[in-house]
Amino acid sequence: GDLAVEGVGAVALRVRQDRMRSQARSIPLVLEVMRGPAMVREYRLVADVRYFDDVVVAARSIMRGERVGEEAVIIERRDVTMILGKYFSTIEQLEGMQAKMRIGFGRPLNSFYLERRPLVERGDMVRIEAKVGGIVAVTMGLAKDKGAQGDNIVVMNTTSREKLLAEVIGPGK
């Protein structure tokens, strides 16, 4: 409504967050009416705040295990108030990713639905390399887990049948 301030001189408005706890989109605020350095009046308000950002969204249904790239997604400006920090905002963030499950048309993509594409699958024959200084020992093994680059997986040395924890460094390695 109308705000009437008695007296003479310039009036300024200052908004600050109230000490009361905010809930979801409702942010408690205090509107201070100032004349010079003196506060004339204060009003307690609740603001309905919404945040909007670019969000990567499925342009069509994406099947489980499918590589997720620019042909399967679009970027839309969306209300992200309730999902802050839990979405992808650029297509570059999807590099090397695949769908963990079916993703429906129009659904915002996040790490719950995606995983890095594995370079080694469970049951694959892999090359095991051990480097110490300038010496490299190489043997073959059987992957007991699937893994993307940088993941640690269990592999079984096919010669000794010993199980090892190994880092995936490339396809089949």
Side-chain angles (χ1 to χ4, degrees):
D2 292 335
L3 200 68
V5 179
E6 295 178 8
V8 180
V11 173
L13 301 177
R14 186 168 64 190
V15 178
R16 65 177 167 82
Q17 190 167 354
D18 197 348
R19 290 190 178 115
M20 292 176 52
R21 188 166 182 252
S22 60
Q23 295 183 8
R25 298 185 310 228
S26 298
I27 310 294
L29 302 171
V30 176
L31 172 65
E32 297 174 339
V33 181
M34 311 289 289
R35 183 178 305 266
M39 184 178 7
V40 177
R41 185 143 188 211
E42 95 178 2
Y43 297 90
R44 296 203 181 288
L45 310 167
V46 175
D48 181 25
V49 178
R50 294 175 186 258
Y51 300 98
F52 289 83
D53 197 4
D54 290 340
V55 178
V56 178
V57 176
R60 59 174 173 74
S61 289
I62 301 170
M63 302 314 291
R64 179 179 181 210
E66 183 181 339
R67 181 187 157 282
V68 180
E70 61 184 282
E71 72 287 345
V73 298
I74 56 173
I75 295 180
E76 290 183 354
R77 191 103 176 134
R78 291 232 179 146
D79 181 349
V80 295
T81 308
M82 303 306 281
I83 59 169
L84 282 175
K86 298 177 184 169
Y87 58 92
F88 292 107
S89 55
T90 66
I91 293 174
E92 289 76 27
Q93 292 173 296
L94 305 177
E95 184 66 36
M97 303 291 260
Q98 72 178 23
K100 272 197 252 186
M101 60 188 72
R102 184 185 168 282
I103 304 169
F105 167 76
R107 185 166 298 274
L109 300 185
N110 62 43
S111 57
F112 179 76
Y113 298 112
L114 302 176
E115 63 186 357
R116 292 182 301 161
R117 279 194 313 268
L119 298 176
V120 173
E121 293 287 343
R122 180 185 166 109
D124 284 356
M125 288 301 292
V126 295
R127 178 182 167 113
I128 302 171
E129 296 179 4
K131 294 180 184 180
V132 178
I135 300 172
V136 179
V138 177
T139 188
M140 294 305 289
L142 182 67
K144 295 294 188 176
D145 300 312
K146 72 176 182 177
Q149 186 160 354
D151 288 349
N152 288 322
I153 64 168
V154 175
V155 295
M156 183 178 69
N157 181 325
T158 53
T159 306
S160 68
R161 309 210 36 91
E162 185 177 335
K163 290 184 181 175
L164 309 165
L165 186 62
E167 179 183 350
V168 177
I169 59 172
K173 290 184 179 182

